[in-house]
Amino acid sequence: ETGVTQSPTHLIKTRGQQVTLRCSSQSGHNTVSWYQQALGQGPQFIFQYYREEENGRGNFPPRFSGLQFPNYSSELNVNALELDDSALYLCASSRNPGLAGGIFKDTQYFGPGTRLTVL
Amino acid sequence: QQQVKQSPQSLIVQKGGISIINCAYENTAFDYFPWYQQFPGKGPALLIAIRPDVSEKKEGRFTISFNKSAKQFSLHIMDSQPGDSATYFCAATGGSQGNLIFGKGTKLSVKP
């Protein structure tokens, strides 16, 4: 078990609604990355937060947004939910962001995920 | 360029056998290659990882073999056990990005 926690565990929403998912990073980690994992697929990178700022973004529309707080915990917000947003949302924390020019790429430790179902 | 291709999609192995999962990548800037194990309803858990300055890394029953020139790497699970039944993902990261690029996964079933 990693020290990364996520809430809630499961969530059911209807199309057009908004949702907020939460993540607490492992002690000593300052970087949080969010991934979307559709059924039967590998995780897809949404974005990464480092020192409370977005530090890279995958191919996801602007209705996917996030925050990182001073204690390094993070939120993922999704507006105007679509049926295709149904997935397992994973949060991963690490010690370093893996920036260009960064010292090294550190291991990302995943939380248990939040299962979002959009009806 | 950003893809990591993983095969096979599914694998059935007898208890005590060797499970082999292969991955290939295109982006030569990748410099960190982890493998994750995921059980149903759980998040991926880091199993073992390698950097391209070595050709092999072994941890217990798990070994990564890395071929830099071919841009391929593989996971070998020796003496496979029913408890190893899970989905395995290879991943890669490097260059200007900090995010992991995942393969599509291999569902491993180890039969008793």
Side-chain angles (χ1 to χ4, degrees):
Chain A
E1 294 284 332
T2 69
V4 181
T5 60
Q6 292 186 243
S7 63
T9 305
H10 297 89
L11 204 51
I12 299 175
K13 292 285 189 178
T14 56
R15 196 170 47 182
Q17 285 189 310
Q18 177 266 343
V19 69
T20 297
L21 310 181
R22 296 178 175 81
C23 170
S24 292
S25 60
Q26 186 167 311
S27 178
H29 288 185
N30 58 17
T31 302
V32 172
S33 303
W34 285 92
Y35 293 81
Q36 180 195 66
Q37 186 177 20
L39 202 60
Q41 299 295 316
Q44 297 287 317
F45 176 67
I46 303 175
F47 43 56
Q48 183 181 79
Y49 276 83
Y50 171 61
R51 291 184 175 177
E52 303 177 53
E53 294 198 0
E54 188 177 291
N55 181 47
R57 188 178 186 93
N59 189 26
F60 281 81
R63 59 189 185 84
F64 286 78
S65 63
L67 284 172
Q68 186 179 33
F69 299 99
N71 66 353
Y72 306 126
S73 66
S74 177
E75 287 183 353
L76 164 65
N77 299 290
V78 187
N79 293 320
L81 284 167
E82 301 177 359
L83 298 179
D84 285 348
D85 296 334
S86 295
L88 181 68
Y89 287 85
L90 296 162
C91 163
S93 76
S94 55
R95 285 183 299 165
N96 288 288
L99 288 168
I103 298 172
F104 60 90
K105 310 299 186 294
D106 203 0
T107 299
Q108 294 190 18
Y109 295 90
F110 284 84
T114 294
R115 172 69 63 184
L116 173 65
T117 301
V118 182
L119 302 176
Chain B
Q1 265 272 330
Q2 298 295 348
Q3 283 187 331
V4 175
K5 295 183 179 179
Q6 183 172 348
S7 63
Q9 186 175 351
S10 62
L11 183 60
I12 300 174
V13 173
Q14 291 296 317
K15 179 182 176 181
I18 302 173
S19 304
I20 301 174
I21 305 170
N22 301 299
C23 285
Y25 64 98
E26 291 293 327
N27 190 343
T28 56
F30 287 155
D31 61 3
Y32 179 66
F33 302 87
W35 284 88
Y36 284 85
Q37 178 189 57
Q38 187 176 30
F39 293 102
K42 304 291 186 183
L46 179 68
L47 198 58
I48 186 173
I50 197 168
R51 298 187 191 275
D53 52 345
V54 297
S55 60
E56 186 175 282
K57 183 175 182 180
K58 184 176 181 179
E59 290 184 1
R61 297 185 293 110
F62 301 93
T63 300
I64 300 178
S65 297
F66 188 86
N67 186 328
K68 188 174 181 178
S69 60
K71 292 185 284 186
Q72 295 176 348
F73 58 110
S74 61
L75 175 69
H76 295 229
I77 305 174
M78 312 299 287
D79 187 26
S80 298
Q81 299 297 312
D84 296 330
S85 297
T87 299
Y88 292 81
F89 292 96
C90 62
T93 187
S96 62
Q97 60 195 29
N99 57 291
L100 291 166
I101 307 295
F102 282 87
K104 292 191 174 183
T106 296
K107 186 174 183 180
L108 172 65
S109 296
V110 181
K111 301 300 184 184

